[in-house]
């Protein structure tokens, strides 16, 4: 009865050195799953959004971060050589009001707004 107990202690003491590569593999697999399921799709979605915001044109319908829906009337570029920056001022029409919003505060870009 004593011999099996000592044998189980010997197995437990030898297990941590053999388990280190398994633990590294397990953590690597978990990171890979998180990367391909969460991080990578979110990066692709962010890049697509930034591209849509950079290519805004007059007549596009947008939604601001505050939830205001409007149609783009004018884009005032502040960047060098007319390049779009996140600080560009965009004039939109929402209902009977005209508003100026920063390009970086646009949450969503729709298609062309219907002509009224």
């Amino acid at each position: 009865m004593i011999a099996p107990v000592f044998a189980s202690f010997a197995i437990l003491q030898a297990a941590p050195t053999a388990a280190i590569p398994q633990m590294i593999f397990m953590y690597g697999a978990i990171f890979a799953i998180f990367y391909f399921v969460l991080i990578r799709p979110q990066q692709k979605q962010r890049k697509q959004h930034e591209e849509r915001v950079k290519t805004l044109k007059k007549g596009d319908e947008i939604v601001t971060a505050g939830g205001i829906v409007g149609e783009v009337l004018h884009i005032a570029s502040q960047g060098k050589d007319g390049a779009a920056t996140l600080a560009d001022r965009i004039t939109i029409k929402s209902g009977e009001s005209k508003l100026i919003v920063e390009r970086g505060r646009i949450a969503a870009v729709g298609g062309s707004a219907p002509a009224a």
Side-chain angles (χ1 to χ4, degrees):
M1 176 111 169
I2 295 175
V5 172
F6 288 121
S8 63
F9 284 131
I11 291 172
L12 289 176
Q13 290 176 352
T17 59
I20 290 175
Q22 292 175 350
M23 286 179 32
I24 292 172
F25 177 75
M26 180 182 67
Y27 286 126
I30 289 171
F31 177 76
I33 290 170
F34 271 99
Y35 178 77
F36 286 109
V37 173
L38 297 174
I39 298 169
R40 188 167 179 241
Q42 188 175 20
Q43 287 177 342
K44 289 175 88 174
Q45 190 176 36
R46 182 182 46 83
K47 285 180 184 178
Q48 288 174 349
H49 173 70
E50 286 178 1
E51 185 63 33
R52 283 190 303 245
V53 169
K54 283 182 183 177
T55 59
L56 274 177
K57 60 187 178 300
K58 185 177 177 178
D60 284 348
E61 187 174 283
I62 64 165
V63 179
T64 66
I68 298 171
V69 179
E71 177 186 347
V72 175
L73 295 178
H74 178 72
I75 300 172
S77 295
Q78 295 178 349
K80 296 177 183 175
D81 302 327
T85 63
L86 290 179
D88 287 351
R89 304 286 182 183
I90 299 176
T91 304
I92 65 171
K93 180 181 178 186
S94 180
E96 298 298 319
S97 301
K98 289 183 182 178
L99 304 166
I100 298 174
V101 296
E102 289 183 351
R103 188 183 294 261
R105 300 297 179 224
I106 296 174
V109 178
S112 295

